């Protein structure tokens, strides 16, 4: 535990938190995403969880992925569109999004503004899987998902 994070109080300004590094979304540059930043607000091994803040810039998107671990998301800034499982929905500030194990998910900042969200997750978790060509084909059988992914035919 670093010293900054063990401080009881850290202030907020402009969607940054005192003592929290402002990081690129994922270290692996081969993962497909666009203009996303990540801040780890709490990393609590004793509680078994982490709370992160991700921000997708206007027109950006998070990685389309799935994994065994779940996510509990609260939209903190702006609005956009999210895919969870086989459902595409508009999301707005303060909405909650529950991502179940193995549900495909992606967040897109489709409304011309940033989309920022808090994401609670297990501290110990499996690595995300990316869709294969066959997975994408299967997802895009749903016209809402095809349009969401920009693959409408
Ligand atoms: Mn995920």
């Amino acid at each position: 535990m670093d010293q900054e994070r063990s401080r009881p109080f850290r202030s907020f300004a402009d969607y940054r938190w005192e003592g929290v590094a402002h990081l690129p979304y994922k270290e692996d540059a081969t993962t497909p995403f666009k203009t996303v930043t990540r801040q780890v607000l709490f990393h609590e091994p004793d509680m078994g969880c982490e709370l992160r803040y991700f921000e997708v810039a206007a027109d950006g998107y998070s990685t389309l992925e799935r994994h065994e671990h779940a996510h509990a998301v609260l939209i903190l800034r702006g609005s956009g569109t999210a895919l969870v499982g086989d459902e595409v929905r508009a999301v707005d500030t303060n909405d909650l999004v529950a991502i179940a194990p193995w549900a495909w998910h992606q967040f897109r900042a489709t409304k011309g503004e940033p989309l920022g969200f808090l994401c609670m997750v297990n501290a110990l978790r499996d690595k995300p899987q990316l869709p294969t060509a066959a997975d994408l084909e299967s997802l895009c059988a749903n016209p809402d998902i095809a349009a969401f992914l920009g693959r409408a035919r």
Side-chain angles (χ1 to χ4, degrees):
M1 176 60 62
D2 66 68
Q3 227 167 4
E4 294 283 5
R5 282 203 198 111
S6 66
R7 290 161 56 185
F9 299 102
R10 289 171 288 145
S11 14
F12 165 92
D14 196 24
Y15 295 92
R16 297 206 184 188
W17 287 264
E18 195 180 349
V20 176
H22 194 252
L23 304 164
Y25 179 35
K26 284 176 181 171
E27 287 81 13
D28 180 358
T30 63
T31 307
F33 65 90
K34 190 182 167 200
T35 51
V36 183
T37 59
R38 174 171 66 98
Q39 297 177 76
V40 180
L41 308 181
F42 294 98
H43 171 75
E44 305 291 343
D46 292 348
M47 295 169 70
C49 67
E50 288 184 7
L51 185 67
R52 300 90 49 84
Y53 176 72
F54 294 98
E55 193 171 288
V56 183
D59 303 321
Y61 47 85
S62 65
T63 304
L64 173 61
E65 62 178 29
R66 67 177 178 178
H67 36 66
E68 185 174 22
H69 62 273
H71 291 309
V73 169
L74 184 149
I75 308 298
L76 191 68
R77 179 183 195 179
S79 60
T81 312
L83 164 67
V84 180
D86 59 3
E87 198 173 357
V88 173
R89 281 277 294 269
V91 290
D92 206 346
T93 306
N94 298 322
D95 286 351
L96 300 177
V97 184
I99 299 166
W102 299 115
W104 290 110
H105 55 283
Q106 186 177 54
F107 290 86
R108 289 181 174 256
T110 52
K111 310 288 185 188
E113 62 178 351
L115 174 64
F117 54 93
L118 296 172
C119 178
M120 186 167 66
V121 72
N122 300 85
L124 292 175
R125 55 189 182 271
D126 61 316
K127 195 171 190 268
Q129 291 179 1
L130 303 181
T132 63
D135 291 329
L136 282 173
E137 181 131 359
S138 165
L139 281 163
C140 288
N142 177 330
D144 291 345
I145 297 178
F148 173 82
L149 296 175
R151 290 163 181 266
R153 276 166 279 188

